Amino acid sequence: MIWSEVETWSREQIEEVQLERLKNIVKYVYEKCAPYRKKMDETGIKPEDVQTLDDIRKLPFTTKQDMRDNYPFDLFCVPKKDLLRIHASSGTTGKPTVVGYTQKDLDTWAECVARLAVAGGATAEDTSQICFGYGMFTGALGLHKGLEKIGSAIIPSSSGNTKKQLLYMHDFESTLLVATPSYALRIAEVAQEIGLDPKKDLKIKTAVLGSELMTEGMRQEMRNAWGDDLRVTQNYGLSEVMGPGVSGECLELNGMHINEDHFLVEIIDPKTGEVLPPGEKGEVVITTLTKEAIPLIRYRTRDISALHYEPCKCGRTTARMDNISGRTDDMMKIRGVNVFPGQIEEVLLNTDICGPHYEIVLTRKNHTDAIEINVEVAPDKMTDSYQELKNSEQEIKEKLRTVLGLAAKVNLVSPNSIQRFEGKAKRIIDKRGEEQ
Ligand code: DLL
């Protein structure tokens, strides 16, 4: 099912609406927001200079630093009394990034999430358990409002307290799971620990996942844990531009359909800022076309993806973005080689012996970087044979060397020995600052 006819508009229709909205939003931020006006004046750009969609390239980028510099409300275009909600992203360094929503923004948000939830197989008959942390994080309330809009019953169980989650899931017969991919696996694992078989004893048929990278290997792990016929899709968004709701996969699993009437997405070369053609990988840059409280012009997300415009078999005509392959800032530079965690995950999960839980430890000795990967053996592949484990480690090491072009140490560790997460997983432990 397709939630909105907007998702099937012709390219001409989409672009016509995008252009009209782009012109409006550029004029709006110029008039209402001093930091934008200043930046545009400095670049010598006036709102009237934007007459075609390509003219967006004349506009300066907005970065996370701009949000920090204008903390908490200086990028807002409406007075505080017009806000209905404020969210913030935790931010591991520095101040949180603050975003606000007017009534119109909240309505748009629910509409955008409704579309991608339906694309992922959600229906009004579903009982949806939301296992994202409720709070300042946009994930939980974002999915909550979107799923509510389509008529699904919501169980707002939040993250953590996994045994209680499972009690609700079992007794209330939840059919749809919302979580990060890593927490979805953790829930299945705890289910086994307390004697529940997720495939037989639980009724989850659809998993609408997001908020962190999910490789194809991880998707398969999801089906191994929850059942072969589990419908697993992922969706993408970031709190700065709205939260979840920017794009999401349909059941064809053909990339993530973008809500193009609300977001104009470009892909740029992160080094030069030059816009790249469809199909080419680069940094995702998003302009919000309809937000009132805090619109963003050409926001640099640091996420890496590519755009595709061919219509999808599902009937939607909206542009699709490839699933995120990493972030420009979680690229690890090791002995001069660029390495992304997703590349490592693909190698690990393409083996029989590795389970989905791993961590990447970076160290530095005598000014030389080293990379060490601790990965759990899948529970059903555990063996007492030391030699067998060593052989498997060697095999993985060789595959990694081919893919990464660099030697990594691999340690197969026993099941359940690597830390689990209830939200986004933290897989990289960088100890290079503690040089030995
Ligand atoms: O994670 C919003 C969200 C919530 C999206 C729930 C989907 C579902 P932030 O906490 O601000 O917002 O984190 C945004 O998370 O820039 C990406 O790096 C990453 N991210 C989000 N979705 C995906 C995804 C939410 N599907 C940051 N694949 C983004 C890979 C993702 N990374």
Side-chain angles (χ1 to χ4, degrees), residues 29 34 39 58 60 64 71 102-103 114 122 125 142 147 174 197 201 211 217 234 254 294 299 343 376 418 430:
V29 296
K39 233 176 168 181
K58 299 177 182 164
K64 195 156 192 128
Y71 177 86
T102 62
Q103 181 62 59
E125 278 74 52
L147 282 159
S174 308
D197 179 350
D201 302 325
S211 189
Q234 64 178 313
N254 209 359
I294 171 166
Y299 185 70
Q343 294 176 293
E376 285 182 12
I418 287 175
D430 194 341

Side-chain angles (χ1 to χ4, degrees), residues 161-177:
N161 207 347
T162 309
K163 288 183 185 157
K164 197 56 147 312
Q165 298 270 7
L166 283 158
L167 177 107
Y168 300 139
M169 203 171 277
H170 178 266
D171 294 357
F172 305 168
E173 302 190 332
S174 308
T175 55
L176 186 146
L177 168 68

Side-chain angles (χ1 to χ4, degrees), residues 123 125-129 152-153 155 169 172-177 202-207 230-231:
T123 70
E125 278 74 52
D126 276 309
T127 302
S128 303
Q129 188 157 337
S152 157
I155 302 179
M169 203 171 277
F172 305 168
E173 302 190 332
S174 308
T175 55
L176 186 146
L177 168 68
L202 300 172
K203 299 235 158 25
I204 298 291
K205 295 282 171 290
T206 311
L230 179 78
R231 302 193 286 190

Side-chain angles (χ1 to χ4, degrees), residues 64 88-90 97 109 116 132 136-140 142-143 178-181 208-214 233-248 256 299 301-304 321-327 329-330 424:
K64 195 156 192 128
S89 81
S90 57
T97 318
W109 194 10
L116 57 88
F132 279 143
M136 298 307 269
F137 174 55
T138 52
L143 266 297
V178 171
T180 56
V208 177
L209 308 176
S211 189
E212 69 180 7
L213 183 108
M214 179 169 76
T233 58
Q234 64 178 313
N235 58 84
Y236 167 81
L238 56 163
S239 47
E240 295 93 310
V241 307
M242 166 175 275
V246 173
S247 62
M256 299 186 284
Y299 185 70
T301 65
R302 302 192 185 170
D303 294 316
I304 298 165
M321 43 190 278
D322 282 342
N323 295 341
I324 304 295
S325 52
R327 285 178 57 80
D329 53 2
D330 70 23
K424 298 183 200 238

Side-chain angles (χ1 to χ4, degrees), residues 40-295:
M40 282 172 64
D41 284 345
E42 278 166 7
T43 339
I45 300 293
K46 291 273 173 282
E48 310 77 75
D49 295 330
V50 177
Q51 290 303 327
T52 68
L53 283 178
D54 280 349
D55 285 341
I56 195 173
R57 299 176 189 188
K58 299 177 182 164
L59 297 165
F61 293 116
T62 309
T63 63
K64 195 156 192 128
Q65 192 57 43
D66 291 312
M67 299 195 77
R68 293 215 173 101
D69 292 346
N70 292 292
Y71 177 86
F73 298 134
D74 286 356
L75 280 185
F76 282 49
C77 292
V78 297
K80 208 152 146 255
K81 68 174 177 47
D82 291 351
L83 297 179
L84 268 92
R85 180 96 60 76
I86 294 173
H87 279 276
S89 81
S90 57
T92 40
T93 51
K95 290 188 181 125
T97 318
V98 186
V99 287
Y101 303 78
T102 62
Q103 181 62 59
K104 181 174 162 241
D105 293 337
L106 289 178
D107 293 345
T108 307
W109 194 10
E111 166 68 18
C112 286
V113 174
R115 289 183 198 167
L116 57 88
V118 168
T123 70
E125 278 74 52
D126 276 309
T127 302
S128 303
Q129 188 157 337
I130 303 199
C131 307
F132 279 143
Y134 278 73
M136 298 307 269
F137 174 55
T138 52
L141 278 162
L143 266 297
H144 182 126
K145 293 289 178 182
L147 282 159
E148 203 168 63
K149 187 170 173 111
I150 69 167
S152 157
I154 308 290
I155 302 179
S157 57
S158 198
S159 64
N161 207 347
T162 309
K163 288 183 185 157
K164 197 56 147 312
Q165 298 270 7
L166 283 158
L167 177 107
Y168 300 139
M169 203 171 277
H170 178 266
D171 294 357
F172 305 168
E173 302 190 332
S174 308
T175 55
L176 186 146
L177 168 68
V178 171
T180 56
S182 45
Y183 192 42
L185 282 181
R186 176 67 187 150
I187 296 171
E189 199 173 56
V190 175
Q192 302 276 7
E193 282 168 20
I194 61 171
L196 287 173
D197 179 350
K199 297 175 188 165
K200 293 204 199 97
D201 302 325
L202 300 172
K203 299 235 158 25
I204 298 291
K205 295 282 171 290
T206 311
V208 177
L209 308 176
S211 189
E212 69 180 7
L213 183 108
M214 179 169 76
T215 58
E216 286 313 306
M218 201 52 102
R219 195 194 307 272
Q220 190 49 48
E221 290 291 339
M222 222 59 75
R223 295 195 184 109
N224 296 345
W226 289 92
D228 288 338
D229 48 2
L230 179 78
R231 302 193 286 190
V232 198
T233 58
Q234 64 178 313
N235 58 84
Y236 167 81
L238 56 163
S239 47
E240 295 93 310
V241 307
M242 166 175 275
V246 173
S247 62
E249 286 180 313
C250 67
L251 296 171
E252 297 291 332
L253 306 184
N254 209 359
M256 299 186 284
H257 288 276
I258 300 168
N259 282 314
E260 283 187 282
D261 49 332
H262 297 289
F263 302 101
L264 186 59
V265 178
E266 302 166 271
I267 301 290
I268 63 160
D269 177 328
K271 286 210 184 77
T272 62
E274 183 201 340
V275 177
L276 298 175
E280 270 189 44
K281 248 185 199 198
E283 180 178 348
V284 177
V285 169
I286 303 178
T287 298
T288 64
L289 295 173
T290 53
K291 265 174 77 182
E292 284 184 336
I294 171 166

